[in-house]
Amino acid sequence: MPLPQPDDDLTSLVLRTDFGDDEAWDALRTALDAADEYTHATYVSDLRFAGVSVRTLLDEEAAADEDDRVIHLFLADPTAMEGPEHPLLAVDLADEPGRTFRVPARWFPDVSANLSIANMDFAEFADAADRSGTFRGFDGD
């Protein structure tokens, strides 16, 4: 089954994989929505993705028709749900399938917008991640 598609070309898919705490899911969405005045996320909360691995997502995308493929997505996994910064796991599904980095809610609009309009590549953000694998802006931001 193909992954859900974002609502429009200017939003990124945020896929819930942790279903242990509905209040944490609400807090994460609130943090993402509050990070910018524009909508940057298409939220998907579907139990079929509970605990899904990056490998499984890659396999689903490889089996999807080219027109149905998702280029990147963000996982609301246990780390994103529990952390005060709500660091989503960004996943590349196209250029370097399986490459990941974390992005706190504060930086999500910048990453989502630039990836959605193909202004920047996934690798540019992943390469700028700190030692923990978290993108916290570019030098001087």
Side-chain angles (χ1 to χ4, degrees), residues 2 17-18 21 25 30 40 47 54 61 64 73-74 85-86 93 98 103 106 110-111 113 121 130 134:
T17 65
D18 180 357
D21 185 345
W25 172 241
T30 298
H40 293 279
L47 282 172
V54 169
E61 278 306 281
L73 57 76
F74 298 85
E85 294 183 303
H86 299 291
L93 298 172
V103 59
R106 182 228 185 281
D110 295 332
V111 175
D121 295 326
D130 64 18
T134 303

Side-chain angles (χ1 to χ4, degrees), residues 5 16 21 26 31 34 37 44 46 60 63-64 69-70 77 106 115 121 123 128 131-132:
Q5 295 292 311
R16 183 180 183 184
D21 185 345
D26 291 341
E37 64 184 287
V44 175
D46 183 335
E60 283 197 28
R69 291 193 179 154
V70 175
D77 63 358
R106 182 228 185 281
L115 291 177
D121 295 326
R131 288 184 178 197
S132 73

Side-chain angles (χ1 to χ4, degrees), residues 18-76:
D18 180 357
F19 289 83
D21 185 345
D22 288 339
E23 288 180 16
W25 172 241
D26 291 341
L28 181 141
R29 289 184 301 148
T30 298
L32 293 177
D33 291 342
D36 194 57
E37 64 184 287
Y38 301 104
T39 301
H40 293 279
T42 295
Y43 299 107
V44 175
S45 180
D46 183 335
L47 282 172
R48 85 175 176 101
F49 297 110
V52 71
S53 69
V54 169
R55 176 80 258 157
T56 299
L57 295 171
L58 292 172
D59 292 344
E60 283 197 28
E61 278 306 281
D65 291 336
E66 192 169 326
D67 291 341
D68 293 330
R69 291 193 179 154
V70 175
I71 304 299
H72 65 275
L73 57 76
F74 298 85
L75 299 182

